Amino acid sequence: MRAFYSGLLGFTEVPKPEELAKRGGAWFRGPGLELHVGIDPEFRPPKKAHPAFLVEDLDALAERLRAAGHEIVPDGLFPGYRRFYAADPAGNRLEFLQPA
């Protein structure tokens, strides 16, 4: 997850408070967002629910993800935006979009 969110997406990992750090997982911060990733051996990613991230260079991000072995699923159904879906290493569905 660290390689995906910090390395590929460019988010900064931020330290968790000491008590919460004992539970595992990681926190990431990016422009206008903070994402908390936990550990749950029973986790099953939802099929529909997902966060969406506005990005400045959709094509460059798609290329980075593909080069790292992640599948990109283009979607042209949102008027005024270019977008695609990809999954993080835990299988969470993520939407990335850029104004057209």
Tab-separated table of all heavy atoms in Angstrom, residues 1-67:
chain	number	residue	atom	x	y	z
A	1	MET	N	0.827	-1.186	0.000
A	1	MET	CA	0.000	0.000	0.000
A	1	MET	C	0.877	1.257	0.000
A	1	MET	O	0.537	2.234	-0.651
A	1	MET	CB	-0.926	-0.011	1.210
A	1	MET	CG	-1.923	-1.176	1.204
A	1	MET	SD	-3.083	-1.121	-0.162
A	1	MET	CE	-4.429	-0.289	0.582
A	2	ARG	N	1.985	1.209	0.722
A	2	ARG	CA	2.872	2.370	0.746
A	2	ARG	C	3.438	2.639	-0.646
A	2	ARG	O	3.483	3.789	-1.086
A	2	ARG	CB	4.003	2.159	1.750
A	2	ARG	CG	3.554	2.305	3.180
A	2	ARG	CD	4.698	2.112	4.176
A	2	ARG	NE	4.262	2.480	5.491
A	2	ARG	CZ	3.815	1.610	6.389
A	2	ARG	NH1	3.748	0.311	6.106
A	2	ARG	NH2	3.422	2.027	7.577
A	3	ALA	N	3.870	1.601	-1.329
A	3	ALA	CA	4.422	1.782	-2.670
A	3	ALA	C	3.361	2.348	-3.613
A	3	ALA	O	3.667	3.173	-4.471
A	3	ALA	CB	4.957	0.458	-3.212
A	4	PHE	N	2.116	1.944	-3.460
A	4	PHE	CA	1.042	2.419	-4.321
A	4	PHE	C	0.693	3.870	-4.008
A	4	PHE	O	0.745	4.725	-4.889
A	4	PHE	CB	-0.197	1.527	-4.156
A	4	PHE	CG	-1.328	1.908	-5.066
A	4	PHE	CD1	-1.366	1.448	-6.370
A	4	PHE	CD2	-2.361	2.711	-4.626
A	4	PHE	CE1	-2.405	1.792	-7.222
A	4	PHE	CE2	-3.402	3.069	-5.459
A	4	PHE	CZ	-3.427	2.611	-6.764
A	5	TYR	N	0.337	4.150	-2.754
A	5	TYR	CA	-0.151	5.491	-2.426
A	5	TYR	C	0.959	6.542	-2.381
A	5	TYR	O	0.760	7.663	-2.825
A	5	TYR	CB	-0.953	5.472	-1.119
A	5	TYR	CG	-2.319	4.866	-1.327
A	5	TYR	CD1	-2.615	3.581	-0.919
A	5	TYR	CD2	-3.320	5.578	-1.975
A	5	TYR	CE1	-3.865	3.022	-1.138
A	5	TYR	CE2	-4.569	5.036	-2.202
A	5	TYR	CZ	-4.840	3.749	-1.781
A	5	TYR	OH	-6.067	3.207	-2.009
A	6	SER	N	2.124	6.186	-1.876
A	6	SER	CA	3.228	7.154	-1.857
A	6	SER	C	3.980	7.152	-3.176
A	6	SER	O	4.195	8.203	-3.778
A	6	SER	CB	4.207	6.848	-0.722
A	6	SER	OG	3.638	7.158	0.517
A	7	GLY	N	4.371	5.974	-3.629
A	7	GLY	CA	5.187	5.884	-4.827
A	7	GLY	C	4.455	6.242	-6.102
A	7	GLY	O	4.875	7.134	-6.838
A	8	LEU	N	3.343	5.562	-6.385
A	8	LEU	CA	2.639	5.783	-7.654
A	8	LEU	C	1.752	7.019	-7.648
A	8	LEU	O	1.696	7.752	-8.631
A	8	LEU	CB	1.802	4.554	-8.008
A	8	LEU	CG	2.596	3.314	-8.382
A	8	LEU	CD1	1.674	2.115	-8.556
A	8	LEU	CD2	3.390	3.558	-9.647
A	9	LEU	N	1.029	7.236	-6.550
A	9	LEU	CA	0.105	8.365	-6.514
A	9	LEU	C	0.741	9.641	-5.974
A	9	LEU	O	0.183	10.724	-6.135
A	9	LEU	CB	-1.142	8.024	-5.696
A	9	LEU	CG	-1.980	6.855	-6.228
A	9	LEU	CD1	-3.267	6.731	-5.426
A	9	LEU	CD2	-2.282	6.986	-7.703
A	10	GLY	N	1.887	9.521	-5.314
A	10	GLY	CA	2.603	10.705	-4.846
A	10	GLY	C	2.094	11.303	-3.549
A	10	GLY	O	2.440	12.433	-3.214
A	11	PHE	N	1.282	10.557	-2.800
A	11	PHE	CA	0.824	11.049	-1.503
A	11	PHE	C	1.974	10.944	-0.505
A	11	PHE	O	2.884	10.136	-0.667
A	11	PHE	CB	-0.358	10.238	-0.971
A	11	PHE	CG	-1.607	10.317	-1.821
A	11	PHE	CD1	-2.588	9.352	-1.707
A	11	PHE	CD2	-1.819	11.338	-2.728
A	11	PHE	CE1	-3.744	9.412	-2.462
A	11	PHE	CE2	-2.960	11.407	-3.493
A	11	PHE	CZ	-3.932	10.437	-3.358
A	12	THR	N	1.922	11.742	0.532
A	12	THR	CA	2.926	11.717	1.593
A	12	THR	C	2.391	10.900	2.754
A	12	THR	O	1.267	11.119	3.203
A	12	THR	CB	3.220	13.152	2.079
A	12	THR	OG1	3.681	13.924	0.962
A	12	THR	CG2	4.255	13.159	3.174
A	13	GLU	N	3.187	9.946	3.223
A	13	GLU	CA	2.758	9.204	4.412
A	13	GLU	C	2.969	10.094	5.629
A	13	GLU	O	4.015	10.734	5.765
A	13	GLU	CB	3.545	7.907	4.571
A	13	GLU	CG	3.021	7.075	5.729
A	13	GLU	CD	3.587	5.682	5.808
A	13	GLU	OE1	4.367	5.279	4.915
A	13	GLU	OE2	3.269	4.974	6.784
A	14	VAL	N	1.959	10.147	6.488
A	14	VAL	CA	2.044	10.952	7.703
A	14	VAL	C	2.006	10.011	8.907
A	14	VAL	O	1.346	8.974	8.868
A	14	VAL	CB	0.914	12.006	7.784
A	14	VAL	CG1	1.061	13.029	6.676
A	14	VAL	CG2	-0.448	11.372	7.724
A	15	PRO	N	2.719	10.366	9.979
A	15	PRO	CA	2.735	9.493	11.147
A	15	PRO	C	1.369	9.440	11.811
A	15	PRO	O	0.662	10.439	11.903
A	15	PRO	CB	3.767	10.137	12.076
A	15	PRO	CG	4.248	11.378	11.430
A	15	PRO	CD	3.560	11.537	10.123
A	16	LYS	N	1.021	8.237	12.248
A	16	LYS	CA	-0.214	8.067	13.011
A	16	LYS	C	0.073	8.384	14.483
A	16	LYS	O	1.204	8.203	14.943
A	16	LYS	CB	-0.694	6.616	12.908
A	16	LYS	CG	-1.139	6.230	11.508
A	16	LYS	CD	-1.497	4.754	11.426
A	16	LYS	CE	-2.774	4.497	12.204
A	16	LYS	NZ	-3.277	3.133	11.984
A	17	PRO	N	-0.924	8.834	15.227
A	17	PRO	CA	-0.725	9.004	16.670
A	17	PRO	C	-0.286	7.672	17.291
A	17	PRO	O	-0.674	6.603	16.811
A	17	PRO	CB	-2.111	9.416	17.169
A	17	PRO	CG	-2.796	9.991	15.970
A	17	PRO	CD	-2.260	9.225	14.790
A	18	GLU	N	0.514	7.763	18.327
A	18	GLU	CA	1.123	6.570	18.927
A	18	GLU	C	0.115	5.459	19.228
A	18	GLU	O	0.342	4.302	18.900
A	18	GLU	CB	1.874	6.965	20.204
A	18	GLU	CG	2.677	5.845	20.794
A	18	GLU	CD	3.491	6.278	21.997
A	18	GLU	OE1	3.864	7.463	22.079
A	18	GLU	OE2	3.753	5.415	22.844
A	19	GLU	N	-0.989	5.779	19.860
A	19	GLU	CA	-1.986	4.759	20.201
A	19	GLU	C	-2.577	4.100	18.957
A	19	GLU	O	-2.814	2.902	18.932
A	19	GLU	CB	-3.124	5.350	21.038
A	19	GLU	CG	-2.920	5.316	22.525
A	19	GLU	CD	-2.516	3.950	23.076
A	19	GLU	OE1	-3.276	2.968	22.942
A	19	GLU	OE2	-1.419	3.869	23.659
A	20	LEU	N	-2.814	4.883	17.916
A	20	LEU	CA	-3.397	4.327	16.689
A	20	LEU	C	-2.358	3.560	15.873
A	20	LEU	O	-2.699	2.620	15.156
A	20	LEU	CB	-4.019	5.440	15.851
A	20	LEU	CG	-5.211	6.149	16.499
A	20	LEU	CD1	-5.676	7.300	15.629
A	20	LEU	CD2	-6.347	5.175	16.757
A	21	ALA	N	-1.099	3.932	15.977
A	21	ALA	CA	-0.043	3.249	15.234
A	21	ALA	C	0.067	1.785	15.635
A	21	ALA	O	0.446	0.938	14.821
A	21	ALA	CB	1.285	3.967	15.431
A	22	LYS	N	-0.301	1.468	16.869
A	22	LYS	CA	-0.244	0.087	17.352
A	22	LYS	C	-1.181	-0.826	16.573
A	22	LYS	O	-0.992	-2.034	16.546
A	22	LYS	CB	-0.603	0.032	18.833
A	22	LYS	CG	0.388	0.739	19.727
A	22	LYS	CD	-0.100	0.748	21.159
A	22	LYS	CE	0.806	1.580	22.045
A	22	LYS	NZ	0.308	1.670	23.431
A	23	ARG	N	-2.194	-0.263	15.939
A	23	ARG	CA	-3.183	-1.049	15.195
A	23	ARG	C	-2.718	-1.405	13.783
A	23	ARG	O	-3.378	-2.145	13.076
A	23	ARG	CB	-4.490	-0.276	15.085
A	23	ARG	CG	-5.115	0.061	16.403
A	23	ARG	CD	-6.376	0.842	16.158
A	23	ARG	NE	-6.947	1.306	17.406
A	23	ARG	CZ	-8.008	2.078	17.487
A	23	ARG	NH1	-8.615	2.487	16.389
A	23	ARG	NH2	-8.471	2.454	18.651
A	24	GLY	N	-1.607	-0.810	13.344
A	24	GLY	CA	-1.130	-1.040	11.984
A	24	GLY	C	-1.775	-0.074	11.008
A	24	GLY	O	-2.456	0.875	11.387
A	25	GLY	N	-1.578	-0.330	9.737
A	25	GLY	CA	-2.122	0.546	8.711
A	25	GLY	C	-1.223	1.746	8.484
A	25	GLY	O	-0.119	1.836	9.013
A	26	ALA	N	-1.703	2.656	7.656
A	26	ALA	CA	-0.924	3.839	7.317
A	26	ALA	C	-1.861	4.977	6.948
A	26	ALA	O	-2.982	4.749	6.498
A	26	ALA	CB	0.014	3.539	6.150
A	27	TRP	N	-1.372	6.194	7.130
A	27	TRP	CA	-2.113	7.394	6.744
A	27	TRP	C	-1.327	8.109	5.667
A	27	TRP	O	-0.100	8.208	5.734
A	27	TRP	CB	-2.302	8.327	7.938
A	27	TRP	CG	-3.253	7.836	8.981
A	27	TRP	CD1	-3.912	6.637	9.019
A	27	TRP	CD2	-3.649	8.530	10.161
A	27	TRP	NE1	-4.689	6.551	10.151
A	27	TRP	CE2	-4.552	7.707	10.859
A	27	TRP	CE3	-3.334	9.769	10.688
A	27	TRP	CZ2	-5.140	8.083	12.059
A	27	TRP	CZ3	-3.917	10.142	11.883
A	27	TRP	CH2	-4.815	9.320	12.561
A	28	PHE	N	-2.060	8.622	4.675
A	28	PHE	CA	-1.449	9.335	3.562
A	28	PHE	C	-2.140	10.673	3.383
A	28	PHE	O	-3.334	10.801	3.615
A	28	PHE	CB	-1.566	8.517	2.269
A	28	PHE	CG	-0.938	7.162	2.382
A	28	PHE	CD1	-1.700	6.051	2.713
A	28	PHE	CD2	0.425	7.000	2.180
A	28	PHE	CE1	-1.129	4.797	2.840
A	28	PHE	CE2	1.009	5.749	2.305
A	28	PHE	CZ	0.230	4.644	2.633
A	29	ARG	N	-1.383	11.657	2.927
A	29	ARG	CA	-1.926	12.992	2.695
A	29	ARG	C	-1.534	13.459	1.297
A	29	ARG	O	-0.429	13.229	0.842
A	29	ARG	CB	-1.373	13.957	3.742
A	29	ARG	CG	-2.034	15.323	3.716
A	29	ARG	CD	-1.604	16.173	4.901
A	29	ARG	NE	-2.161	15.614	6.132
A	29	ARG	CZ	-1.565	15.683	7.318
A	29	ARG	NH1	-0.404	16.280	7.448
A	29	ARG	NH2	-2.135	15.156	8.378
A	30	GLY	N	-2.486	14.100	0.638
A	30	GLY	CA	-2.257	14.693	-0.666
A	30	GLY	C	-2.963	16.036	-0.699
A	30	GLY	O	-3.590	16.434	0.293
A	31	PRO	N	-2.922	16.735	-1.810
A	31	PRO	CA	-3.590	18.038	-1.891
A	31	PRO	C	-5.090	17.924	-1.602
A	31	PRO	O	-5.827	17.277	-2.332
A	31	PRO	CB	-3.353	18.481	-3.337
A	31	PRO	CG	-2.186	17.670	-3.803
A	31	PRO	CD	-2.255	16.371	-3.048
A	32	GLY	N	-5.498	18.496	-0.482
A	32	GLY	CA	-6.914	18.517	-0.126
A	32	GLY	C	-7.485	17.196	0.350
A	32	GLY	O	-8.707	17.038	0.395
A	33	LEU	N	-6.635	16.231	0.732
A	33	LEU	CA	-7.184	14.953	1.193
A	33	LEU	C	-6.273	14.286	2.203
A	33	LEU	O	-5.082	14.554	2.264
A	33	LEU	CB	-7.431	14.001	0.019
A	33	LEU	CG	-6.216	13.409	-0.681
A	33	LEU	CD1	-5.805	12.098	-0.040
A	33	LEU	CD2	-6.543	13.183	-2.134
A	34	GLU	N	-6.879	13.448	2.999
A	34	GLU	CA	-6.140	12.557	3.882
A	34	GLU	C	-6.813	11.207	3.796
A	34	GLU	O	-8.043	11.106	3.886
A	34	GLU	CB	-6.119	13.081	5.320
A	34	GLU	CG	-5.215	12.236	6.201
A	34	GLU	CD	-4.718	12.973	7.429
A	34	GLU	OE1	-4.203	14.109	7.301
A	34	GLU	OE2	-4.859	12.416	8.517
A	35	LEU	N	-6.029	10.167	3.598
A	35	LEU	CA	-6.539	8.816	3.411
A	35	LEU	C	-5.960	7.927	4.497
A	35	LEU	O	-4.741	7.879	4.676
A	35	LEU	CB	-6.119	8.313	2.024
A	35	LEU	CG	-6.561	6.925	1.633
A	35	LEU	CD1	-8.077	6.894	1.443
A	35	LEU	CD2	-5.863	6.503	0.347
A	36	HIS	N	-6.830	7.219	5.220
A	36	HIS	CA	-6.396	6.306	6.275
A	36	HIS	C	-6.651	4.880	5.804
A	36	HIS	O	-7.787	4.519	5.489
A	36	HIS	CB	-7.174	6.571	7.566
A	36	HIS	CG	-6.949	7.941	8.102
A	36	HIS	ND1	-7.623	8.417	9.211
A	36	HIS	CD2	-6.133	8.959	7.700
A	36	HIS	CE1	-7.235	9.654	9.452
A	36	HIS	NE2	-6.326	10.002	8.551
A	37	VAL	N	-5.592	4.086	5.759
A	37	VAL	CA	-5.672	2.708	5.293
A	37	VAL	C	-5.419	1.799	6.483
A	37	VAL	O	-4.380	1.900	7.137
A	37	VAL	CB	-4.629	2.451	4.179
A	37	VAL	CG1	-4.689	1.013	3.715
A	37	VAL	CG2	-4.852	3.397	3.015
A	38	GLY	N	-6.378	0.925	6.763
A	38	GLY	CA	-6.256	0.016	7.894
A	38	GLY	C	-5.980	-1.409	7.459
A	38	GLY	O	-5.914	-1.720	6.272
A	39	ILE	N	-5.844	-2.275	8.436
A	39	ILE	CA	-5.588	-3.689	8.199
A	39	ILE	C	-6.743	-4.482	8.809
A	39	ILE	O	-7.060	-4.323	9.978
A	39	ILE	CB	-4.256	-4.121	8.851
A	39	ILE	CG1	-3.101	-3.357	8.216
A	39	ILE	CG2	-4.064	-5.620	8.722
A	39	ILE	CD1	-1.773	-3.559	8.902
A	40	ASP	N	-7.368	-5.308	7.980
A	40	ASP	CA	-8.468	-6.157	8.430
A	40	ASP	C	-8.415	-7.451	7.631
A	40	ASP	O	-8.675	-7.447	6.427
A	40	ASP	CB	-9.807	-5.449	8.208
A	40	ASP	CG	-11.008	-6.272	8.646
A	40	ASP	OD1	-10.833	-7.434	9.059
A	40	ASP	OD2	-12.123	-5.747	8.557
A	41	PRO	N	-8.062	-8.566	8.277
A	41	PRO	CA	-7.938	-9.825	7.545
A	41	PRO	C	-9.261	-10.287	6.913
A	41	PRO	O	-9.263	-11.072	5.984
A	41	PRO	CB	-7.451	-10.823	8.583
A	41	PRO	CG	-7.480	-10.143	9.887
A	41	PRO	CD	-7.711	-8.688	9.669
A	42	GLU	N	-10.373	-9.769	7.385
A	42	GLU	CA	-11.692	-10.143	6.843
A	42	GLU	C	-12.164	-9.176	5.752
A	42	GLU	O	-13.283	-9.292	5.262
A	42	GLU	CB	-12.729	-10.154	7.982
A	42	GLU	CG	-12.371	-11.079	9.129
A	42	GLU	CD	-12.376	-12.541	8.722
A	42	GLU	OE1	-13.285	-12.952	7.963
A	42	GLU	OE2	-11.448	-13.268	9.127
A	43	PHE	N	-11.332	-8.225	5.379
A	43	PHE	CA	-11.737	-7.182	4.438
A	43	PHE	C	-12.112	-7.751	3.074
A	43	PHE	O	-11.428	-8.601	2.530
A	43	PHE	CB	-10.602	-6.164	4.267
A	43	PHE	CG	-10.902	-5.107	3.249
A	43	PHE	CD1	-11.796	-4.090	3.529
A	43	PHE	CD2	-10.308	-5.133	2.000
A	43	PHE	CE1	-12.082	-3.104	2.592
A	43	PHE	CE2	-10.583	-4.156	1.057
A	43	PHE	CZ	-11.478	-3.146	1.361
A	44	ARG	N	-13.214	-7.249	2.544
A	44	ARG	CA	-13.644	-7.535	1.172
A	44	ARG	C	-13.955	-6.183	0.530
A	44	ARG	O	-14.845	-5.484	1.001
A	44	ARG	CB	-14.891	-8.417	1.136
A	44	ARG	CG	-14.738	-9.764	1.807
A	44	ARG	CD	-13.824	-10.689	0.980
A	44	ARG	NE	-13.615	-11.957	1.636
A	44	ARG	CZ	-12.576	-12.264	2.400
A	44	ARG	NH1	-11.656	-11.372	2.634
A	44	ARG	NH2	-12.451	-13.437	2.946
A	45	PRO	N	-13.237	-5.792	-0.532
A	45	PRO	CA	-13.479	-4.474	-1.119
A	45	PRO	C	-14.886	-4.369	-1.699
A	45	PRO	O	-15.390	-5.328	-2.288
A	45	PRO	CB	-12.426	-4.366	-2.215
A	45	PRO	CG	-11.935	-5.739	-2.458
A	45	PRO	CD	-12.221	-6.549	-1.234
A	46	PRO	N	-15.532	-3.220	-1.538
A	46	PRO	CA	-16.861	-3.028	-2.126
A	46	PRO	C	-16.767	-2.996	-3.651
A	46	PRO	O	-15.757	-2.598	-4.210
A	46	PRO	CB	-17.321	-1.681	-1.570
A	46	PRO	CG	-16.097	-1.000	-1.101
A	46	PRO	CD	-15.073	-2.055	-0.806
A	47	LYS	N	-17.833	-3.420	-4.312
A	47	LYS	CA	-17.831	-3.457	-5.776
A	47	LYS	C	-18.143	-2.100	-6.393
A	47	LYS	O	-17.702	-1.798	-7.484
A	47	LYS	CB	-18.832	-4.491	-6.263
A	47	LYS	CG	-18.429	-5.889	-5.866
A	47	LYS	CD	-19.428	-6.911	-6.334
A	47	LYS	CE	-19.066	-8.227	-5.706
A	47	LYS	NZ	-19.150	-9.349	-6.489
A	48	LYS	N	-18.924	-1.267	-5.717
A	48	LYS	CA	-19.339	0.012	-6.286
A	48	LYS	C	-18.766	1.216	-5.548
A	48	LYS	O	-18.309	2.158	-6.171
A	48	LYS	CB	-20.869	0.113	-6.284
A	48	LYS	CG	-21.541	-0.772	-7.296
A	48	LYS	CD	-21.651	-0.023	-8.573
A	48	LYS	CE	-22.613	-0.672	-9.529
A	48	LYS	NZ	-22.734	0.096	-10.721
A	49	ALA	N	-18.843	1.219	-4.231
A	49	ALA	CA	-18.413	2.385	-3.455
A	49	ALA	C	-16.923	2.622	-3.672
A	49	ALA	O	-16.136	1.682	-3.706
A	49	ALA	CB	-18.687	2.153	-1.972
A	50	HIS	N	-16.548	3.899	-3.845
A	50	HIS	CA	-15.151	4.207	-4.099
A	50	HIS	C	-14.908	5.706	-3.941
A	50	HIS	O	-15.810	6.503	-4.137
A	50	HIS	CB	-14.759	3.794	-5.524
A	50	HIS	CG	-15.519	4.526	-6.581
A	50	HIS	ND1	-16.750	4.108	-7.012
A	50	HIS	CD2	-15.252	5.654	-7.261
A	50	HIS	CE1	-17.201	4.947	-7.933
A	50	HIS	NE2	-16.312	5.903	-8.096
A	51	PRO	N	-13.660	6.070	-3.609
A	51	PRO	CA	-13.300	7.493	-3.652
A	51	PRO	C	-12.933	7.883	-5.077
A	51	PRO	O	-12.566	7.046	-5.902
A	51	PRO	CB	-12.077	7.580	-2.736
A	51	PRO	CG	-11.454	6.230	-2.827
A	51	PRO	CD	-12.590	5.254	-3.041
A	52	ALA	N	-13.055	9.160	-5.359
A	52	ALA	CA	-12.650	9.714	-6.650
A	52	ALA	C	-11.605	10.793	-6.396
A	52	ALA	O	-11.740	11.584	-5.467
A	52	ALA	CB	-13.851	10.295	-7.386
A	53	PHE	N	-10.578	10.807	-7.225
A	53	PHE	CA	-9.487	11.761	-7.084
A	53	PHE	C	-9.398	12.612	-8.348
A	53	PHE	O	-9.254	12.071	-9.452
A	53	PHE	CB	-8.154	11.037	-6.879
A	53	PHE	CG	-8.122	10.155	-5.667
A	53	PHE	CD1	-8.347	8.795	-5.775
A	53	PHE	CD2	-7.870	10.688	-4.414
A	53	PHE	CE1	-8.318	7.972	-4.665
A	53	PHE	CE2	-7.839	9.877	-3.290
A	53	PHE	CZ	-8.063	8.515	-3.416
A	54	LEU	N	-9.477	13.928	-8.185
A	54	LEU	CA	-9.228	14.841	-9.306
A	54	LEU	C	-7.724	14.920	-9.522
A	54	LEU	O	-6.968	15.112	-8.560
A	54	LEU	CB	-9.760	16.236	-8.989
A	54	LEU	CG	-11.260	16.436	-9.086
A	54	LEU	CD1	-11.650	17.789	-8.501
A	54	LEU	CD2	-11.719	16.339	-10.535
A	55	VAL	N	-7.287	14.775	-10.754
A	55	VAL	CA	-5.858	14.821	-11.054
A	55	VAL	C	-5.595	15.825	-12.169
A	55	VAL	O	-6.494	16.170	-12.936
A	55	VAL	CB	-5.308	13.422	-11.431
A	55	VAL	CG1	-5.511	12.441	-10.283
A	55	VAL	CG2	-5.955	12.897	-12.697
A	56	GLU	N	-4.351	16.288	-12.258
A	56	GLU	CA	-3.984	17.274	-13.278
A	56	GLU	C	-3.528	16.637	-14.575
A	56	GLU	O	-3.650	17.244	-15.633
A	56	GLU	CB	-2.892	18.196	-12.736
A	56	GLU	CG	-3.386	19.099	-11.630
A	56	GLU	CD	-2.321	20.056	-11.147
A	56	GLU	OE1	-1.243	20.154	-11.784
A	56	GLU	OE2	-2.553	20.717	-10.123
A	57	ASP	N	-2.971	15.428	-14.519
A	57	ASP	CA	-2.477	14.780	-15.738
A	57	ASP	C	-2.910	13.317	-15.728
A	57	ASP	O	-2.170	12.428	-15.305
A	57	ASP	CB	-0.957	14.915	-15.830
A	57	ASP	CG	-0.424	14.516	-17.186
A	57	ASP	OD1	-1.121	13.796	-17.939
A	57	ASP	OD2	0.712	14.910	-17.512
A	58	LEU	N	-4.114	13.081	-16.198
A	58	LEU	CA	-4.714	11.752	-16.193
A	58	LEU	C	-3.881	10.759	-17.004
A	58	LEU	O	-3.681	9.618	-16.577
A	58	LEU	CB	-6.143	11.831	-16.745
A	58	LEU	CG	-7.030	10.617	-16.526
A	58	LEU	CD1	-7.371	10.462	-15.054
A	58	LEU	CD2	-8.311	10.740	-17.347
A	59	ASP	N	-3.383	11.189	-18.150
A	59	ASP	CA	-2.612	10.288	-19.008
A	59	ASP	C	-1.310	9.839	-18.353
A	59	ASP	O	-0.944	8.668	-18.424
A	59	ASP	CB	-2.325	10.948	-20.362
A	59	ASP	CG	-3.604	11.228	-21.138
A	59	ASP	OD1	-4.555	10.429	-21.039
A	59	ASP	OD2	-3.652	12.261	-21.836
A	60	ALA	N	-0.619	10.752	-17.705
A	60	ALA	CA	0.643	10.397	-17.033
A	60	ALA	C	0.384	9.428	-15.889
A	60	ALA	O	1.139	8.469	-15.688
A	60	ALA	CB	1.354	11.651	-16.529
A	61	LEU	N	-0.693	9.660	-15.137
A	61	LEU	CA	-1.024	8.750	-14.036
A	61	LEU	C	-1.372	7.371	-14.576
A	61	LEU	O	-0.912	6.350	-14.053
A	61	LEU	CB	-2.183	9.307	-13.206
A	61	LEU	CG	-2.672	8.402	-12.080
A	61	LEU	CD1	-1.550	8.076	-11.095
A	61	LEU	CD2	-3.855	9.028	-11.368
A	62	ALA	N	-2.176	7.318	-15.630
A	62	ALA	CA	-2.534	6.031	-16.228
A	62	ALA	C	-1.284	5.281	-16.662
A	62	ALA	O	-1.158	4.070	-16.430
A	62	ALA	CB	-3.481	6.236	-17.399
A	63	GLU	N	-0.339	5.978	-17.255
A	63	GLU	CA	0.903	5.340	-17.707
A	63	GLU	C	1.715	4.810	-16.530
A	63	GLU	O	2.260	3.703	-16.586
A	63	GLU	CB	1.734	6.315	-18.549
A	63	GLU	CG	2.969	5.693	-19.143
A	63	GLU	CD	2.684	4.435	-19.960
A	63	GLU	OE1	1.662	4.380	-20.672
A	63	GLU	OE2	3.487	3.473	-19.863
A	64	ARG	N	1.823	5.591	-15.453
A	64	ARG	CA	2.555	5.127	-14.256
A	64	ARG	C	1.912	3.869	-13.684
A	64	ARG	O	2.604	2.911	-13.321
A	64	ARG	CB	2.576	6.213	-13.174
A	64	ARG	CG	3.674	7.213	-13.318
A	64	ARG	CD	3.957	8.006	-12.043
A	64	ARG	NE	2.808	8.468	-11.308
A	64	ARG	CZ	2.150	9.605	-11.541
A	64	ARG	NH1	2.515	10.394	-12.537
A	64	ARG	NH2	1.136	9.962	-10.793
A	65	LEU	N	0.590	3.871	-13.588
A	65	LEU	CA	-0.114	2.713	-13.031
A	65	LEU	C	0.062	1.483	-13.927
A	65	LEU	O	0.335	0.385	-13.442
A	65	LEU	CB	-1.588	3.032	-12.819
A	65	LEU	CG	-1.879	4.043	-11.700
A	65	LEU	CD1	-3.342	4.463	-11.719
A	65	LEU	CD2	-1.513	3.458	-10.336
A	66	ARG	N	-0.100	1.668	-15.229
A	66	ARG	CA	0.089	0.540	-16.168
A	66	ARG	C	1.510	-0.022	-16.060
A	66	ARG	O	1.709	-1.233	-16.040
A	66	ARG	CB	-0.160	0.990	-17.604
A	66	ARG	CG	-1.600	1.031	-18.001
A	66	ARG	CD	-1.732	1.238	-19.521
A	66	ARG	NE	-3.080	1.615	-19.841
A	66	ARG	CZ	-3.498	2.837	-20.119
A	66	ARG	NH1	-2.644	3.853	-20.138
A	66	ARG	NH2	-4.757	3.076	-20.398
A	67	ALA	N	2.498	0.876	-16.026
A	67	ALA	CA	3.897	0.445	-15.953
A	67	ALA	C	4.169	-0.357	-14.681
A	67	ALA	O	5.064	-1.209	-14.668
A	67	ALA	CB	4.826	1.657	-16.032
